[in-house]
Amino acid sequence: MNIRLPKIVWINIGLLVLFLFVLILPGEGGLSSFFRGGKPLGYSDQRAGIQLQDAFRNVYNSAKDSVVSIRTKKTEAITSPYQYFDYRTEKLSSFGSGFLIHEKGYVVTNFHVISDAESIEVIASDGSVFPAKFVGSHERADIALLKIKEGSGLKPVSFGDSDKIEVGDWAIAIGSPFGLERSFSVGVVSAKYREDLDETGQTHIQTDSMINPGSSGGPLLNIYGEVIGINRLIRSDSGRNTGIGFAIPMNYAKKIIQLIEENKGRIIRPATLGVMATVPLPDHRKALGIPADWKGVLVYDIDPGSSAESSGLKRYDFIMEANGVQVKNINDLREQVGIVGLGGRLKLRIYREKSLEELTVRLIQK
């Protein structure tokens, strides 16, 4: 049975075919002309930019198999907003970042990333998931050490010298902001030694690299792909990145990691020495016989029942060294107390009544 279409239908079909032919026809009238665009910039025009782009690619490729995402789970009670006694328990997940420091499977992250976690998992760059064991942590320094099985396919990071960085140096962050694994951001070192940002009292590297919730524990890298810091916190009213982020300097972090490894299975808690001290004035030096070129801090008061009092530290003791490190100001002393932690021993070199002495202070709970 033959169906005869009206003449107007055949005309419309013909016009449609012609229109499609014009669109795909090569030339100025065709659709293909929309995608030709202008002539791009050549290599010679963009040589410097391409070389910098390649440098960033190299950093990412060198570090991507060292950086991990850390997923923790803990049980929390969820209360109904409508009935006070109506609640249920639920296992909630949270994310952070970390990086491998040793081929035996040791991973570093922030203490606050794994604090109170019931289970910890490490997610590698290829998506593999490994259960992680808690090795130890330092609460005040906000550093934790984990261990996964050997042969994970991850490679250890390379370490840089955080004391040699300068303001304006490239600073590259890799982490899992908002759970987005191995996000890469580039900035600069904004400041080398930021002190008294929080209760830890330790110094931080300031950077404008993008650090957001979930980036904590990831590495801050230099242009050579070396780790110069552990990304830790941001300064923001909204909780989102505002271009002011902070990382724990790697040279300081190494001391903490070594201490954690020596105290496996332990959370090193914050401690206080229990003294008020300051750099002495010239009159104080003259009265106490302290040479003008000696570095140190002068104790002018001691808390009753403190670690300092219990160990025999006295008023007007001039503290020159703590655990073999020169004390130039009160922050240097505070840092050494923080490193040792509660229950540790602090070896002091002091000047007392015109003689040098060694004194060991056990850091106790007041």
Side-chain angles (χ1 to χ4, degrees):
M1 176 178 164
N2 294 327
I3 299 175
R4 299 187 65 179
L5 296 174
K7 187 175 181 180
I8 187 64
V9 174
W10 287 110
I11 292 172
N12 288 334
I13 291 173
L15 290 173
L16 178 61
V17 171
L18 180 61
F19 177 70
L20 292 174
F21 182 72
V22 170
L23 282 179
I24 64 175
L25 181 71
E28 294 302 322
L31 187 62
S32 60
S33 65
F34 294 160
F35 305 108
R36 282 207 293 266
K39 186 179 180 182
L41 293 171
Y43 176 81
S44 59
D45 299 317
Q46 293 295 95
R47 180 176 300 165
I50 291 170
Q51 289 174 344
L52 182 58
Q53 176 179 272
D54 288 343
F56 291 143
R57 287 179 177 177
N58 291 339
V59 171
Y60 178 74
N61 289 328
S62 72
K64 66 182 177 66
D65 293 328
S66 305
V67 181
V68 299
S69 296
I70 295 177
R71 181 169 59 202
T72 62
K73 294 181 181 179
K74 63 179 177 181
T75 303
E76 290 191 6
I78 309 298
T79 305
S80 170
Y82 306 107
Q83 293 184 344
Y84 183 75
F85 293 103
D86 181 15
Y87 71 92
R88 68 183 189 279
T89 59
E90 190 172 315
K91 242 179 188 180
L92 303 179
S93 297
S94 60
F95 282 88
S97 305
F99 53 93
L100 192 79
I101 63 168
H102 196 280
E103 59 269 8
K104 288 188 177 292
Y106 288 99
V107 173
V108 165
T109 186
N110 287 143
F111 171 73
H112 75 261
V113 169
I114 56 91
S115 177
D116 300 324
E118 295 171 6
S119 66
I120 307 170
E121 293 176 323
V122 167
I123 305 172
S125 57
D126 63 358
S128 302
V129 180
F130 304 98
K133 294 181 180 179
F134 172 78
V135 176
S137 63
H138 195 297
E139 183 177 342
R140 192 180 187 92
D142 198 15
I143 296 174
L145 188 62
L146 310 174
K147 191 176 188 307
I148 60 174
K149 70 174 186 178
E150 296 182 50
S152 61
L154 295 168
K155 67 175 187 178
V157 295
S158 299
F159 294 108
D161 187 344
S162 57
D163 290 335
K164 291 184 178 179
I165 63 172
E166 297 295 340
V167 173
D169 287 356
W170 289 112
I172 300 164
I174 305 181
S176 304
F178 306 106
L180 301 171
E181 300 169 11
R182 280 165 300 285
S183 293
F184 181 92
S185 66
V186 176
V188 296
V189 173
S190 305
K192 287 181 67 172
Y193 303 115
R194 286 289 187 220
E195 296 179 347
D196 300 325
L197 295 174
D198 59 8
E199 70 282 355
T200 66
Q202 66 195 39
T203 60
H204 288 75
I205 300 168
Q206 182 182 330
T207 178
D208 63 351
S209 298
M210 294 297 289
I211 298 173
N212 277 297
S215 299
S216 294
L220 187 69
L221 308 165
N222 61 19
I223 197 62
Y224 304 106
E226 298 170 322
V227 179
I228 55 172
I230 303 173
N231 297 323
R232 179 171 179 255
L233 53 86
I234 59 175
R235 179 65 60 86
S236 170
D237 293 331
S238 66
R240 307 297 172 93
N241 184 278
T242 55
I244 305 176
F246 301 96
I248 304 167
M250 202 61 228
N251 288 5
Y252 172 76
K254 283 181 182 178
K255 299 175 187 176
I256 299 296
I257 293 166
Q258 185 175 357
L259 187 65
I260 292 172
E261 206 278 330
E262 292 169 358
N263 293 269
K264 287 181 179 177
R266 179 180 162 211
I267 298 176
I268 301 173
R269 302 290 184 186
T272 58
L273 182 57
V275 301
M276 283 174 272
T278 186
V279 176
L281 296 171
D283 288 347
H284 295 150
R285 289 180 181 273
K286 186 177 180 180
L288 297 170
I290 304 169
D293 59 341
W294 283 12
K295 304 287 186 183
V297 294
L298 183 67
V299 176
Y300 63 86
D301 203 1
I302 296 177
D303 291 340
S306 65
S307 304
E309 184 185 61
S310 301
S311 300
L313 204 63
K314 299 179 179 180
R315 289 182 68 189
Y316 307 125
D317 282 345
F318 182 64
I319 301 174
M320 303 172 66
E321 291 182 4
N323 284 345
V325 177
Q326 187 181 59
V327 174
K328 300 183 292 296
N329 52 51
I330 190 62
N331 281 331
D332 290 341
L333 180 60
R334 187 186 300 149
E335 182 176 280
Q336 292 305 312
V337 172
I339 288 174
V340 173
L342 191 63
R345 296 181 184 276
L346 189 69
K347 294 180 180 179
L348 300 178
R349 186 167 184 254
I350 64 173
Y351 182 70
R352 174 188 292 173
E353 297 176 354
K354 298 184 179 180
S355 65
L356 292 171
E357 297 184 22
E358 304 284 337
L359 184 68
T360 299
V361 177
R362 189 169 184 274
L363 299 175
I364 60 173
Q365 187 78 47
K366 181 179 173 182

